Amino acid sequence: MKSNKPDCAPETKLKNWNSINWKKVKQSVKSLQLRIAKATREGKHNKAKALQWMLTHSFAAKLLAVKRVTENSGKRTPGTDGVRWKTPSQKFRAALSLVRKGYKAQPLRRLFILKKNGKKRPLGIPTMKDRACQALYLLALEPISETLADKGSYGFRQKRGCHDAIERCYIHLSRKDSATWILEGDIKGCFDNINHQWLRQNIPMDKKVLQQWLKAGFIENKQLFPTTQGTPQGGIISPTLANMTLDGLEAAIDKALGITIRPDGCRKNTQKVHLIRYADDFIVTASNKEILETRIKPLIEEFLDHRGLQLSPEKTKITHITDGFDFLGQNIRMYSRGKLLIRPSKDAIKSVKEKLKQIIVKHRGSQAAVLIRNLNPVITGWANYHRHACSKKTFYLLDRILWRNIWNWARRRHNNLGYRKIVSLLFMRIGNRKWQFFGKFDDGKTVLLRMFACFHIIRHSLINGNANPFDVAWDNYFVNRLRLKYVN
């Protein structure tokens, strides 16, 4: 007789890490996640809690959590204990060690990274075991966070990203009768100031485990400091906790302004108020400035105050659409004759120009192929991010600047050669493009420098606000979106 007992203990067939059937593991975890999301939608919170317990005690979920922390970009960065899981045996033993009984979170390793304004942002790096534990509980928390999330929230969520937030801006601001005033909001030290008591009372997960992470403290200059508020930037679960802290703001604004849903599914919104949020950066649109100043801004401040947060006075301002504003690396502005254009912001252009120049200077004495290998990822990443905006002129401008820097590099690198010899060594003709910079590795492999202008401008398709990756009813929708992405 087949047992219906959940997978709470290691399967006897599994002997080592290399024998794991990852497809089966992911199916087992996804099945429980779908049930958690369904219980949440139906308001069965006790059932969702029981399913969360099953998932966090499932060996399949523990394997998946260890797999995530040992394969992501932070796998080479140890915590305060200096431990890293490298070998298959270490990973398998790590999955077996993820038990709630006797679990105690270790202090965080404090690091600092530079921000654009020259200030330093603190990062808290947990140990590998704490990261894996966070990844495990995140598997059980994410179905709830996705089900309850604001429709206008796009940061640190599955299947959503910056391009969805930008496209939403275009939809709400591009028409002649669209909103004309924008509240640009920024939360001061969002991750560092979230109230611990609010998190314990409102985050639907194991309270004792959550308390361990919140009160773990951090080590800086070999000295232990306590943590009295906030969630560490660097923890796997921190972005989801921050999102859940800010979820509900959209509903609060709608309730205060009397915005309702009509029978046809559209919002009765005569004041054109829309919230668009990416993590702790957000904008609120409105038809006039007075609504933003007297009603919406005070409402947001009160909403944040309950969570231990406040708006940044320096970055929070109210702007008219004809003056334009920067959001997520793009400049959004209404020009003459009611034409809204979304272009790369000046700061984004300046940043990529400096980054490319630094790479070229750093590789002054390197081979052309080595230089190209370091330039191409930066060019590709920046162009792919901005290809959904009106970026063609910017792409041509960056190509001209890049070519000039490359030519100066070539003349310096081969200062004993003449003009024609340099051209024959480093440039070739491809189609109508005569000045294609290339290089060859020692094994004879040729690599070409990618050009910004070779990336075609493609309009991004906004994701449906109700789409939930933990609801089987939306599976076909996500498959079609993925197919469309690869076609473009």
Side-chain angles (χ1 to χ4, degrees):
M1 178 176 159
K2 186 177 179 180
S3 173
N4 292 324
K5 186 178 179 180
D7 181 20
C8 297
E11 295 184 20
T12 55
K13 293 182 180 179
L14 288 177
K15 301 297 181 182
N16 55 62
W17 187 261
N18 295 327
S19 66
I20 297 171
N21 184 342
W22 288 110
K23 183 177 180 181
K24 185 178 179 181
V25 166
K26 291 177 182 178
Q27 287 175 346
S28 174
V29 172
K30 188 65 179 288
S31 175
L32 278 173
Q33 287 180 317
L34 294 176
R35 293 173 64 188
I36 293 171
K38 182 180 179 182
T40 304
R41 289 194 301 273
E42 295 173 352
K44 300 177 180 178
H45 302 298
N46 288 333
K47 183 178 180 180
K49 185 177 180 180
L51 290 168
Q52 282 184 297
W53 187 94
M54 290 172 59
L55 182 56
T56 54
H57 289 72
S58 163
F59 190 58
K62 294 175 182 179
L63 290 172
L64 209 56
V66 173
K67 179 179 173 66
R68 174 172 179 176
V69 301
T70 55
E71 293 183 0
N72 62 14
S73 57
K75 63 182 179 182
R76 297 183 181 87
T77 306
T80 52
D81 59 0
V83 174
R84 291 185 294 173
W85 299 332
K86 300 179 182 179
T87 65
S89 60
Q90 287 176 329
K91 296 175 185 178
F92 195 79
R93 287 197 300 270
L96 292 171
S97 70
L98 293 180
V99 293
R100 180 182 182 276
K101 186 176 181 180
Y103 170 72
K104 182 173 178 59
Q106 297 297 311
L108 306 169
R109 178 186 170 198
R110 176 58 65 95
L111 298 176
F112 292 92
I113 59 173
L114 283 175
K115 298 168 67 175
K116 292 181 180 178
N117 56 9
K119 296 181 180 179
K120 291 184 177 181
R121 173 183 286 124
L123 289 181
I125 309 299
T127 63
M128 291 293 286
K129 183 171 182 178
D130 290 335
R131 271 178 261 178
C133 190
Q134 289 187 18
L136 174 62
Y137 279 86
L138 179 59
L139 290 172
L141 182 62
E142 212 165 19
I144 298 178
S145 68
E146 284 291 336
T147 303
L148 302 179
D150 287 346
K151 294 180 181 179
S153 169
Y154 299 100
F156 303 112
R157 293 183 59 193
Q158 290 191 25
K159 312 295 184 181
R160 288 165 169 82
C162 298
H163 298 132
D164 293 297
I166 296 298
E167 182 63 20
R168 181 95 182 272
C169 291
Y170 180 82
I171 290 172
H172 292 316
L173 296 171
S174 60
R175 297 187 297 271
K176 291 183 178 179
D177 61 343
S178 295
T180 53
W181 289 93
I182 298 95
L183 169 66
E184 302 175 60
D186 185 88
I187 301 171
K188 186 177 181 180
C190 179
F191 284 86
D192 300 325
N193 296 306
I194 300 176
N195 185 279
H196 282 182
Q197 184 178 357
W198 190 94
L199 287 172
R200 288 193 297 268
Q201 292 175 350
N202 294 276
I203 300 299
M205 64 168 290
D206 191 311
K207 307 301 180 184
K208 289 185 178 180
V209 176
L210 179 60
Q211 176 80 354
Q212 287 283 330
W213 299 333
L214 297 179
K215 300 299 183 181
F218 64 90
I219 293 178
E220 184 180 354
N221 297 326
K222 298 182 179 181
Q223 186 176 353
L224 178 63
F225 295 89
T227 48
T228 57
Q229 59 187 12
T231 61
Q233 293 191 56
I236 288 177
I237 203 170
S238 295
T240 301
L241 294 179
N243 262 340
M244 297 187 75
T245 302
L246 298 176
D247 283 334
L249 179 57
E250 188 173 351
I253 292 174
D254 288 353
K255 182 179 180 181
L257 298 179
I259 299 173
T260 57
I261 306 297
R262 297 198 298 257
D264 60 357
C266 297
R267 299 167 79 232
K268 186 180 179 182
N269 187 4
T270 57
Q271 295 155 328
K272 301 179 177 63
V273 175
H274 300 281
L275 170 69
I276 304 166
R277 179 170 66 84
Y278 188 92
D280 58 339
D281 291 329
F282 65 90
I283 67 164
V284 182
T285 67
S287 56
N288 62 73
K289 188 177 183 179
E290 183 182 359
I291 294 175
L292 295 174
E293 285 180 332
T294 61
R295 301 189 65 182
I296 294 178
K297 188 177 179 182
L299 172 66
I300 294 173
E301 290 173 339
E302 181 182 358
F303 179 89
L304 295 176
D305 185 60
H306 291 308
R307 292 152 175 80
L309 302 172
Q310 59 180 340
L311 292 174
S312 171
E314 302 85 10
K315 298 180 181 179
T316 301
K317 52 188 176 182
I318 298 175
T319 310
H320 195 269
I321 189 62
T322 55
D323 296 326
F325 63 97
D326 291 347
F327 186 54
L328 301 178
Q330 311 285 9
N331 178 262
I332 304 172
R333 181 181 174 188
M334 180 75 76
Y335 290 84
S336 59
R337 299 182 181 179
K339 186 70 173 179
L340 183 84
L341 294 181
I342 301 177
R343 294 171 169 169
S345 66
K346 291 182 179 179
D347 288 340
I349 296 171
K350 181 181 178 181
S351 176
V352 74
K353 282 163 59 176
E354 290 178 352
K355 193 167 187 178
L356 293 172
K357 185 176 180 179
Q358 288 173 4
I359 293 173
I360 293 172
V361 170
K362 182 180 178 181
H363 293 86
R364 273 186 261 188
S366 302
Q367 295 178 351
V370 176
L371 174 62
I372 293 172
R373 184 177 61 188
N374 285 273
L375 288 173
N376 278 347
V378 177
I379 296 169
T380 303
W382 199 91
N384 277 329
Y385 181 83
H386 291 280
R387 70 187 302 187
H388 302 291
C390 302
S391 307
K392 202 54 150 178
K393 290 184 178 179
T394 304
F395 286 174
Y396 284 130
L397 170 66
L398 290 173
D399 278 339
R400 288 197 297 271
I401 295 172
L402 180 60
W403 186 91
R404 185 167 63 245
N405 290 333
I406 289 293
W407 179 248
N408 291 336
W409 173 90
R411 291 183 62 188
R412 178 188 177 90
R413 179 74 172 79
H414 301 284
N415 57 3
N416 60 332
L417 301 179
Y419 161 81
R420 294 182 182 275
K421 187 62 176 178
I422 294 175
V423 172
S424 64
L425 279 175
L426 300 174
F427 297 90
M428 66 167 64
R429 177 187 288 273
I430 297 181
N432 295 328
R433 192 163 66 249
K434 179 181 178 182
W435 296 92
Q436 174 62 61
F437 184 56
F438 75 97
K440 286 187 178 182
F441 289 104
D442 294 336
D443 59 2
K445 183 180 178 181
T446 301
V447 59
L448 303 177
L449 179 70
R450 292 175 183 170
M451 311 298 291
F452 287 96
C454 292
F455 290 83
H456 301 294
I457 304 300
I458 299 173
R459 180 76 177 271
H460 180 76
S461 176
L462 176 66
I463 191 171
N464 189 310
N466 295 313
N468 187 345
F470 298 102
D471 186 351
V472 292
W474 291 96
D475 284 352
N476 289 334
Y477 173 80
F478 286 117
V479 169
N480 292 331
R481 276 184 67 84
L482 187 62
R483 185 183 298 116
L484 181 65
K485 178 181 178 180
Y486 282 112
V487 167
N488 292 332

